[in-house]
Amino acid sequence: MITVLNPATEEAIAELPSPGVEETDAAVAAAKAAFPAWRAVAPGDRGRLLRRLATLVEEHGEELARIESRNVGKPISGARAEVGMVAEVFHFYAGAVDKHHGETIPVAGGVDLTFREPLGVVGLIVPWNFPLNIASWKLGPALACGNTVALKPAELTPLSALRLGELALEAGIPEGVVNIVAGKGSVVGQRLVEHPDVAKIGFTGSTEVGRRVMERAAATIKRVTLELGGKSANVVFADADLEKAAAAAPYAVFDNAGQDCCARSRIFVERSAYDRFLELLVEATRGINVGDPQDEATEMGPLISAAHRETVASFVDGNVAFRGDVPDGPGFWFPCTLVEATNDDRIAREEVFGPVAAVIPFEDEEEALQLANDTPYGLSGSIWTRDGARALRMARGIDSGVLSVNSNSSVRVSTPFGGFKQSGFGRELGLHGLEGYSEVKNVFISTE
Ligand code: NAP
Ligand code: MG
């Protein structure tokens, strides 16, 4: 059995059977059986079914947001926004189904055509930090391209995916097309990666597990897309709007209690503005409203588990510039924490995945770029400056998949998202998201 907890109260909110290899194989078999009919559905009709799912997500938005908020411990306001994005993702891919197609290529002696073929059964493995969102980023394009899926949510947060599976059926997506297998990574996840009938794994999680997925997928030459960890830079130049940058910076790392792959957890500040910026940053961080996730005003909830809290705590031993308050009583709380550090300290090298940020000074643009890139990761990042040319130089120079200038946003429904370096490969969202869920077939027809 799997006991599902509310991390804000430590209370059990569900007891579920824990599926094993047999159940995983059954899900893959169901997906395989459903594939021929699903790929044959006319694109416009597949789009209509996805749109119906998007509408059902909207209609059940409050219910889904409550589930997500209670299971992950995330503030209800944020959970609502996330569910809103899930609906938008399905709307986007509903509209994309009949716009993703092949081409004709001029060649001698005949006609050359390309087709976008679905892969077949795809295994989707997602983490606990944004369970429904990240599931939708994979489900949307996978279904749009005509694949059938076995989706494995994280063991800690299975509830929203299970509900989404029901809504998919209610939307009229045929049985067997979407299969939710809510079990352990070491059992269900590993079986999906090894299963000979699974053509591709879409994985989001840690770099460590991603590496293992890639190794095991090699046995069957499975396609993989990997969305992994991050240690992103928030680079603040002295000429930036310091008030605006400092007001935004805490949300770029403490959102979702820092359990965000895009967390800009290395805050680099030009030396001449360092003291002033740190002062503003501490003030802004002090203002973050930490508490009951069900409260409308709450901005940050607890961490996901007691074990994760131990890991996060192990990072904080240096020069603490600020440590916030947390509620009394049960819940896996951890305070917002700012640490003055260098880029060589452990806190700046490894992904903390908690509300802990390293603040690091730099001398000039050259050093800022060198420090931003001095990391094995490359997922997101921000540049704050009023110098447009410098913003562009930095944006081109940072080895990272997603960057923003004078903003901390990373994720939009219509734009590509994914990593450089050990943050993974493959792109999700936008039209780029379709690439990873179809294979290009080339057919030459002789006219001679
Ligand atoms: P994780 O431990 O790597 O787990 C991710 C998923 O993989 C879970 O569903 C997990 O199952 C499963 N899994 C575990 N072992 C497996 C195995 N041997 N074979 C196949 N699947 C296996 O990551 P997490 O702790 O849930 O999430 C945090 C990490 O995700 C962070 O590193 C974060 O940066 C990353 N992340 C990246 C992105 C991105 O888009 N780049 C987005 C969000 C999060 P169980 O948990 O059920 O065991
Ligand atoms: Mg884990």
Side-chain angles (χ1 to χ4, degrees), residues 182-198:
K184 291 183 195 304
S186 55
V187 180
V188 175
Q190 186 169 322
R191 180 61 184 156
L192 287 174
V193 173
E194 290 174 349
H195 201 299
D197 289 338
V198 173

Side-chain angles (χ1 to χ4, degrees), residues 4-59:
V4 182
L5 295 184
N6 178 339
T9 63
E10 304 183 33
E11 286 165 350
I13 52 174
E15 289 272 350
L16 303 171
S18 184
V21 168
E22 217 172 289
E23 287 84 355
T24 310
D25 287 356
V28 172
K32 188 180 179 184
F35 175 60
W38 179 244
R39 79 180 300 181
V41 171
D45 292 338
R46 220 160 45 230
R48 264 186 281 279
L49 290 168
L50 279 177
R51 196 167 297 289
R52 178 83 190 112
L53 176 58
T55 306
L56 282 174
V57 169
E58 284 165 350
E59 287 169 9

Side-chain angles (χ1 to χ4, degrees), residues 247-284:
Y251 297 93
V253 56
F254 303 136
D255 236 14
N256 214 40
Q259 304 164 124
D260 182 346
C261 53
C262 292
R264 285 137 169 90
S265 53
R266 294 183 301 149
I267 304 174
F268 294 107
V269 188
E270 191 166 358
R271 176 90 62 191
S272 59
Y274 185 86
D275 291 341
R276 172 74 184 132
F277 184 82
L278 185 60
E279 212 174 290
L280 291 167
L281 179 64
V282 165
E283 268 332 289

Side-chain angles (χ1 to χ4, degrees), residues 125-130 134 137 152-156 183-191 193 203-210 212-213 216 226-230 259-262 351 353 379 417-419 423 428:
I125 300 175
V126 300
W128 44 258
N129 58 340
F130 297 103
I134 292 175
W137 301 358
K152 193 205 92 61
E155 187 191 352
L156 294 171
K184 291 183 195 304
S186 55
V187 180
V188 175
Q190 186 169 322
R191 180 61 184 156
V193 173
F203 175 86
T204 297
S206 60
T207 295
E208 183 193 343
V209 176
R212 225 173 309 146
V213 166
R216 292 218 172 92
L226 300 174
E227 300 282 1
L228 308 175
Q259 304 164 124
D260 182 346
C261 53
C262 292
E351 187 178 44
F353 227 55
L379 189 54
F417 175 77
S423 291
E428 300 195 302

Side-chain angles (χ1 to χ4, degrees), residues 112-133:
D112 195 278
L113 309 169
T114 66
F115 295 86
R116 298 277 184 168
E117 304 288 10
L119 297 159
V121 179
V122 298
L124 308 179
I125 300 175
V126 300
W128 44 258
N129 58 340
F130 297 103
L132 205 55
N133 266 66

Side-chain angles (χ1 to χ4, degrees), residues 137-430:
W137 301 358
K138 300 179 193 316
L139 263 176
L143 296 176
C145 290
N147 304 281
T148 56
V149 312
L151 168 71
K152 193 205 92 61
E155 187 191 352
L156 294 171
T157 58
L159 300 181
S160 56
L162 288 166
R163 188 70 185 107
L164 185 67
E166 294 170 356
L167 294 178
L169 281 176
E170 200 179 321
I173 294 173
E175 207 145 334
V177 172
V178 177
N179 304 275
I180 313 292
V181 201
K184 291 183 195 304
S186 55
V187 180
V188 175
Q190 186 169 322
R191 180 61 184 156
L192 287 174
V193 173
E194 290 174 349
H195 201 299
D197 289 338
V198 173
K200 182 229 165 88
I201 295 288
F203 175 86
T204 297
S206 60
T207 295
E208 183 193 343
V209 176
R211 187 175 291 115
R212 225 173 309 146
V213 166
M214 192 172 167
E215 280 166 10
R216 292 218 172 92
T220 46
I221 316 291
K222 266 185 193 51
R223 283 86 183 110
V224 287
T225 47
L226 300 174
E227 300 282 1
L228 308 175
K231 194 72 205 177
S232 297
N234 195 352
V235 183
V236 182
F237 287 94
D239 72 349
D241 181 338
L242 293 183
E243 278 75 19
K244 189 178 169 195
Y251 297 93
V253 56
F254 303 136
D255 236 14
N256 214 40
Q259 304 164 124
D260 182 346
C261 53
C262 292
R264 285 137 169 90
S265 53
R266 294 183 301 149
I267 304 174
F268 294 107
V269 188
E270 191 166 358
R271 176 90 62 191
S272 59
Y274 185 86
D275 291 341
R276 172 74 184 132
F277 184 82
L278 185 60
E279 212 174 290
L280 291 167
L281 179 64
V282 165
E283 268 332 289
T285 304
R286 199 189 304 282
I288 291 187
N289 208 334
V290 183
D292 178 6
Q294 302 306 310
D295 187 327
E296 300 289 333
T298 293
E299 295 175 297
M300 192 178 103
L303 293 172
I304 190 70
S305 68
H308 187 52
R309 181 169 58 185
E310 296 268 305
T311 311
V312 171
S314 78
F315 280 91
V316 183
D317 59 359
N319 193 1
V320 173
F322 177 77
R323 189 194 310 266
D325 296 324
V326 294
D328 296 328
F332 307 125
W333 305 98
F334 197 88
C336 291
T337 307
L338 297 168
V339 177
E340 291 186 86
T342 77
N343 200 50
D344 295 325
D345 296 335
R346 176 170 172 247
I347 197 176
R349 307 302 311 171
E350 296 176 27
E351 187 178 44
V352 179
F353 227 55
V356 180
V359 192
I360 302 167
F362 67 85
E363 298 302 331
D364 54 17
E365 183 179 327
E366 189 187 358
E367 193 191 12
L369 184 58
Q370 182 264 319
L371 289 171
N373 281 335
D374 181 12
T375 171
Y377 294 110
L379 189 54
S380 69
S382 291
I383 302 132
W384 294 80
T385 175
R386 286 189 167 100
D387 179 337
R390 172 152 70 192
L392 206 44
R393 281 194 302 273
M394 288 292 292
R396 294 301 305 274
I398 296 178
D399 299 326
S400 177
V402 185
L403 288 156
S404 44
V405 174
N406 297 330
S407 157
N408 294 319
S409 83
S410 299
V411 170
R412 290 191 169 78
V413 173
S414 58
T415 63
F417 175 77
F420 279 25
K421 302 198 283 187
Q422 292 187 32
S423 291
F425 54 83
R427 291 294 176 270
E428 300 195 302
L429 295 169

